[in-house]
Amino acid sequence: MDPVQIAVIGAGVIGLSTAVCISRLVPRCSITIISDKFTPETTSNVAAGILIPHAYPDTPVTTQKQWFRETFDHLSAIASSAEAADAGVHLVSGWQIFRSIPTEEIPFWADVVLGFRKMTEAELKRFPQHVFGQAFTTLKCEMSAYLPWLEKRVKASGGLLLTRRIEDLWELQPSFDVVVNCSGLGSKQLVGDSMVSPVRGQVLQAQAPWVKHFIRDGSGLTYIYPGVSYVTLGGTRQKGDWSLSPDAEISREILSRCCALEPSLHRACNIEEKVGLRPSRPGVQLQMEQLVRGERRLPVVHNYGHGSGGISVHWGCAVEATRLVSECIQTLRTPGTTSKL
Ligand SMILES: Cc1cc2nc3c(=O)[nH]c(=O)nc-3n(C[C@H](O)[C@H](O)[C@H](O)COP(=O)(O)OP(=O)(O)OC[C@H]3O[C@@H](n4cnc5c(N)ncnc54)[C@H](O)[C@@H]3O)c2cc1C
């Protein structure tokens, strides 16, 4: 039996993790990642990489929680292994603070992260503008390490990486039996999905090695996420804005907002500006589709539209996408189906 030829479009965190998951769980397959950009040029490279879920209004909360739990457990295992430093995955503790009492004092993910509790009065004293807070330990993926580490995993399992822009999924037929679409914002054009749109995010990466605790304003707009080689200071959420150029005025404003929460950041140095376009969608598109053109068929598994929280759910989504790929292969191998397998 020939190996099944699988094309994964996209080399951000979603494409790379889905390729790794398929190579682990699907026997007798050959994987090629096809992408017009690889690390360090993807949106995923700009992400702070902290595991705090973002709500997808069109995705059931039980599903979001399952994706988050699977991702958290998977990365926890990496963080407590000898691979942790190479993969850039580590635990980080800190606070999420609110200017008014949130509707959900205990979010759906509270029992997934470690040691979730309300902040004490003594902790809140540090933040006179804030009246409520949550303290917990979560994980952080340093994307500058995690994405190359995933790429290495793909190559080690025999996968190929190809730099190419795909204009039409049919270009991949008949060379590939199954296509996995992890093209993020690229899906707007590639599959004509008008529901996916950019939410621009500008952040600063700064040297401030004394900052060890994360601080996130509950609005999600201002955050300080310490990592291994830099602290990420954020941010912005600019809907429909396609500009990838940093805006100096916005950078000054981000720094000032972060310094208000953590005054020691006035001494931060080597500040770099980064911009990424989040692939926003009301719900993650994670499903199988059978494209048909005359006698020709092309099974496609979509996995895109992770918006502001792709790192937080990537492994759970990769597991689900892999299950869908296995279903496609089973159908192809069923006698009576037109297939070369
Ligand atoms: C400033 C900022 C901070 C963030 N912080 C966090 C955080 O702390 N935690 C969190 O969980 N999430 C965070 N996110 C969100 C996270 O970055 C995204 O959800 C995630 O990166 C999406 O991954 P992706 O692989 O789908 O997209 P991408 O990284 O954009 O990858 C898409 C890939 O598809 C390729 N592609 C697209 N179209 C085509 C085509 N036609 N042909 C070939 N290749 C194509 C691209 O080249 C690219 O390789 C943040 C985002 C931003 C912008």
Side-chain angles (χ1 to χ4, degrees):
M1 204 187 292
D2 290 342
V4 188
Q5 298 294 329
I6 300 174
V8 176
I9 306 175
V13 72
I14 301 299
L16 292 175
S17 57
T18 303
V20 169
C21 195
I22 295 170
S23 72
R24 278 192 194 180
L25 300 179
V26 179
R28 296 189 306 282
C29 69
S30 164
I31 300 171
T32 306
I33 296 186
I34 304 172
S35 190
D36 57 354
K37 287 185 186 150
F38 285 83
T39 179
E41 307 294 336
T42 69
T43 302
S44 301
N45 284 90
V46 179
I50 193 118
L51 264 72
I52 300 178
H54 288 259
Y56 302 104
D58 285 6
T59 303
V61 172
T62 46
T63 309
Q64 297 184 45
K65 184 167 180 176
Q66 186 186 330
W67 292 341
F68 181 58
R69 189 185 288 283
E70 284 175 354
T71 307
F72 196 91
D73 290 350
H74 174 73
L75 292 177
S76 277
I78 296 172
S80 48
S81 78
E83 288 290 309
D86 286 349
V89 181
H90 60 90
L91 288 167
V92 59
S93 300
W95 295 308
Q96 172 155 250
I97 51 177
F98 296 82
R99 285 170 191 263
S100 57
I101 307 280
T103 29
E104 278 189 335
E105 287 188 26
I106 302 182
F108 72 83
W109 42 267
D111 60 347
V112 179
V113 295
L114 307 175
F116 183 95
R117 61 175 173 80
K118 283 187 198 173
M119 282 168 71
T120 63
E121 288 298 318
E123 287 171 314
L124 271 172
K125 252 191 192 158
R126 238 184 112 105
F127 308 105
Q129 310 288 324
H130 295 76
V131 299
F132 178 84
Q134 301 155 339
F136 54 94
T137 298
T138 186
L139 288 149
K140 187 172 181 296
C141 289
E142 197 94 334
M143 302 313 287
S144 55
Y146 189 58
L147 296 172
W149 184 79
L150 286 175
E151 262 192 20
K152 263 193 224 158
R153 287 245 153 340
V154 173
K155 287 182 191 159
S157 66
L160 300 174
L161 270 50
L162 196 67
T163 306
R164 176 176 151 193
R165 181 175 169 78
I166 305 296
E167 302 294 343
D168 182 339
L169 295 180
W170 283 104
E171 290 168 29
L172 299 169
Q173 213 254 0
S175 307
F176 293 94
D177 304 303
V178 180
V179 171
V180 188
N181 172 24
C182 305
S183 61
L185 191 55
S187 286
K188 192 172 191 62
Q189 212 179 350
L190 183 59
V191 297
D193 186 343
S194 57
M195 298 231 277
V196 65
S197 60
V199 174
R200 182 181 183 277
Q202 181 164 326
V203 291
L204 305 177
Q205 295 177 349
Q207 296 299 321
W210 58 88
V211 176
K212 305 289 184 200
H213 231 64
F214 76 77
I215 303 171
R216 178 182 198 268
D217 187 282
S219 67
L221 211 57
T222 305
Y223 48 82
I224 299 162
Y225 294 139
V228 178
S229 39
Y230 50 80
V231 182
T232 304
L233 309 178
T236 65
R237 290 201 181 167
Q238 297 157 274
K239 288 185 186 166
D241 190 334
W242 288 87
S243 169
L244 280 167
S245 308
D247 178 322
E249 183 50 42
I250 289 179
S251 291
R252 274 192 288 279
E253 198 222 316
I254 291 173
L255 190 58
S256 137
R257 276 190 271 131
C258 290
C259 284
L261 295 180
E262 176 57 65
S264 71
L265 285 169
H266 280 293
R267 303 294 289 272
C269 57
N270 297 340
I271 299 177
E272 287 184 30
E273 302 166 294
K274 303 279 170 182
V275 177
L277 304 179
R278 301 173 179 94
S280 180
R281 206 176 178 280
V284 174
Q285 180 70 325
L286 183 37
Q287 65 176 41
M288 189 195 319
E289 182 186 12
Q290 182 80 252
L291 300 186
V292 180
R293 193 176 265 183
E295 292 293 296
R296 295 158 70 201
R297 286 187 169 22
L298 182 60
V300 179
V301 172
H302 298 286
N303 186 9
Y304 67 86
H306 299 77
S308 303
I311 318 302
S312 305
V313 293
H314 73 278
W315 191 258
C317 292
V319 170
E320 174 62 9
T322 300
R323 194 186 61 72
L324 296 173
V325 167
S326 296
E327 267 182 41
C328 293
I329 294 172
Q330 220 165 2
T331 310
L332 289 170
R333 284 186 172 145
T334 304
T337 321
T338 329
S339 150
K340 61 174 187 170
L341 301 178

